[in-house]
Amino acid sequence: MTMQAVILQNGGLELAEVPIPVPGPGEVLVRTLANGICGSDLHCVTHSHELAAGVRAVTGGDLLDPDRPVVLGHEFCAEVVRNGPGTEGTFAPGTRVVSPPMLARPVPVNLGFGGVEAPGGYAEYMVLTEALLMPVPDGLTSEVASLTEPLAVALHAVNRGALGDDDVPIVIGCGPIGLAVISVLKMRGIGPVIAADFSPARRALAAELGADIVVDPREHSPYDSWHEVAAVDDPARYGRQTALFPTLPFRPSVVFECVGVPGVIQQVLAGAPACSRVVVAGLCMAEDRFLPTFGVLKEIDLVFSLYYTVEEFAQTLAHLAAGELRAEPLITSQVGLDGVVDACRGLSDPEKDAKVLIVPAR
């Protein structure tokens, strides 16, 4: 039996017929209902060898083999087809599920970066680990449920920011992760939220998701906006102060860097208020440089964020199901498997789309 899948090989994407994967011990076969195209997928298409080498250098392990066909896709909602050997049958066929994109095998597989034998969501069928499955509640669409993964990334980034109730957040970059961070901040009642992006379409989405102040950095500095709204008269609400910056009558600030382009961290260090916490959520695939003096003299806390815990993933699903976390505006297009190649090309234009969903049944 074969299925359709979009495979990455030789530096490009193509639609192909591949074998339907066979579930191993403790695994289930599922049918993909919806899968989001992630920025890291696009990076993988153009920089697969650099990505593989970087992960190997940091972790000593292999994320993917760029010399073999890869089936991308790690933001998915799926439907159980059948339970494999050694499963408990917890989820009956037809049950809609989401899962952290990991196969818990003796040698774990990062779904979305594996080969055709362990495909990600750019395919009609996948295999998933039963113990990691989470049922999608009735009333939550498969499309929104597929956003659990990227929103869990945002929830983890906000957790890494350790914001207090009086912090004023600044979101730099309103791509899918920046927009998701805005949604999480608004859910938690933290604000006012300041957002900045060069794209008019993405600024409009930021406002729709709840950003209180949205600026075009070519016309207005987001840090000037912070000074305008964070000023307070009550010393009890002042943020942390230092010997070099002893009188700062402002609420604390947390800056989320959600761009992932060389040079942006330095821009943030230069512009951010003293004593800020900076959370780097943008995945930069190239070498970057910044001047530590800016961070040292301002005593800026620089925090890096990636992925989430299983608990954070489950919390995100619960927030979506309860209607507490807005996600629908993120979805700007849907395509079938035959539209993936063109959709990936189109995502280079920020005015066209934010989050494109692959719906294999289309």
Side-chain angles (χ1 to χ4, degrees):
M1 297 285 288
T2 63
M3 65 176 181
Q4 285 196 319
V6 176
I7 61 174
L8 168 63
Q9 61 179 354
N10 302 320
L13 295 171
E14 60 182 80
L15 186 62
E17 287 284 330
V18 300
I20 292 177
V22 177
E27 296 174 355
V28 301
L29 178 68
V30 301
R31 180 170 66 91
T32 308
L33 299 176
N35 182 94
I37 297 177
C38 178
S40 63
D41 296 341
L42 305 180
H43 285 309
C44 194
V45 172
T46 54
H47 300 287
S48 59
H49 285 85
E50 294 94 327
L51 175 61
V55 172
R56 190 178 305 114
V58 174
T59 70
D62 290 315
L63 177 66
L64 77 160
D65 183 348
D67 295 320
R68 297 179 59 234
V70 173
V71 182
L72 300 170
H74 56 275
E75 304 176 357
F76 51 79
C77 175
E79 177 184 66
V80 174
V81 174
R82 65 179 173 86
N83 292 288
T87 55
E88 297 182 1
T90 306
F91 302 99
T95 304
R96 294 183 304 138
V97 295
V98 294
S99 169
M102 175 71 70
L103 288 180
R105 294 177 174 176
V107 178
V109 176
N110 291 282
L111 288 170
F113 300 97
V116 295
E117 72 285 350
Y122 285 34
E124 292 183 281
Y125 294 91
M126 309 168 63
V127 291
L128 301 175
T129 296
E130 182 187 45
L132 294 175
L133 297 183
M134 302 177 192
V136 176
D138 293 338
L140 183 62
T141 69
S142 300
E143 291 77 15
V144 173
S146 72
L147 300 181
T148 303
E149 200 278 344
L151 284 162
V153 170
L155 185 139
H156 179 70
V158 173
N159 286 345
R160 291 280 287 149
L163 289 88
D165 293 338
D166 213 26
D167 285 19
V168 178
I170 306 171
V171 179
I172 305 298
C174 298
I177 293 301
L179 293 170
V181 166
I182 291 169
S183 187
V184 173
L185 291 168
K186 294 305 292 185
M187 177 186 71
R188 292 188 173 174
I190 299 170
V193 176
I194 301 165
D197 199 287
F198 291 111
S199 162
R202 291 188 172 181
R203 292 198 301 273
L205 282 172
E208 185 174 358
L209 283 164
D212 300 282
I213 300 168
V214 182
V215 302
D216 180 345
R218 286 168 294 208
E219 299 179 356
H220 191 77
S221 165
Y223 308 108
D224 288 344
S225 295
W226 177 87
H227 280 93
E228 294 164 7
V229 299
V232 288
D233 296 327
D234 183 0
R237 300 179 67 189
Y238 291 177
R240 184 169 60 88
Q241 303 187 357
T242 71
L244 286 181
F245 297 92
T247 307
L248 294 175
F250 300 100
R251 295 162 59 185
S253 67
V254 178
V255 183
F256 293 89
E257 191 280 285
C258 301
V259 180
V261 172
V264 175
I265 292 178
Q266 174 57 33
Q267 292 174 11
V268 172
L269 292 177
C275 303
S276 296
R277 179 176 292 106
V278 175
V279 180
V280 180
L283 180 59
C284 182
M285 298 296 296
E287 181 177 330
D288 198 2
R289 296 183 179 183
F290 60 83
L291 295 173
T293 307
F294 283 78
V296 172
L297 294 180
K298 290 183 173 182
E299 283 201 6
I300 287 176
D301 296 334
L302 187 58
V303 177
F304 292 85
S305 180
L306 180 72
Y307 289 134
Y308 37 77
T309 65
V310 173
E311 291 76 17
E312 288 171 326
F313 191 97
Q315 290 165 8
T316 303
L317 177 61
H319 289 313
L320 287 170
E324 299 163 347
L325 187 55
R326 289 197 68 204
E328 293 88 346
L330 284 168
I331 303 171
T332 51
S333 292
Q334 298 184 29
V335 298
L337 288 170
D338 58 354
V340 171
V341 174
D342 287 340
C344 288
R345 292 195 190 105
L347 282 167
S348 62
D349 181 357
E351 296 307 304
K352 290 187 64 176
D353 278 300
K355 178 64 67 177
V356 176
L357 293 189
I358 302 168
V359 181
R362 286 178 68 92

